[in-house]
Amino acid sequence: MDLGEKIRVIILGDSGVGKTSLVNLLTQKSSKPTWTVGCNAEVVLHDSQEFKQEFIELWDIGGSGVHENSRGVFMRSTFHGMILVHDLTNSKSYTNMIRWALEFARNGERPPSRRVSRDTEVALLRAIQLPVLIVGTKQDHLWSRSRYSNDRSGLITNLNANMISVNTLDGVQFKGSYQEQQIKGFFDTVIRNKKSASSRFNQPYYSRQGSQSPSNLQKYSSIDLGFQGYGGAG
């Protein structure tokens, strides 16, 4: 067990997509999810063959536009992984994952009034040097799991993330499933990257301070912290 710097994973997505339900599933909480105001942090005890009893903080960021001004406060914290959540029955929530990733890349700042160029967006997404996992929720409500899996913008691939779909309300089915193994593998990658960060840059990732253009985006580690996959098929 590492008693040093806390391991944090930020969870982003539209309001109502099931972020809190996902957190409850991972932390084995049986309480009925409520709307997240600002940010809600829960702790999961991760145990795998590679890492024994590692505590990981899951920061569930509220997706409501009402709290847009306060989100930047939380996004400026230190994170070692990111989970983007979308609703499999809502195609807009899938497209909006890019908006959430870009908001994180901008340090929680509001997007410019005019959409920036595609090259700028690509540069911002590639500068997010964190392991990223994309989770589609409400799998039980979907006839076809691949219904909204097309990346029409072509931008999601720049996050180099694996994708899974889950029924967040069925903890029994989740236990021992492929989806659970994928999430455990993702947590392994988060911990591995945090522990292997260069001593020169001992924080694996800090959200950038202030607004930066793609020409001066900084990398905060001397090693490649990009998501390289964490085992398993898909």
Side-chain angles (χ1 to χ4, degrees), residues 2 17 22 53 95 125 164 175 185 198 210 216:
D2 186 357
V17 296
L22 176 64
Q53 295 187 326
T95 304
L125 294 173
I164 62 171
K175 192 68 175 178
S198 167
N216 62 357

Side-chain angles (χ1 to χ4, degrees), residues 77-97:
S77 297
T78 307
F79 295 99
H80 307 92
M82 177 166 61
I83 297 177
L84 293 171
V85 183
H86 67 103
D87 178 348
L88 288 165
T89 67
N90 181 349
S91 60
K92 186 176 181 180
S93 70
Y94 185 86
T95 304
N96 284 346
M97 287 191 300

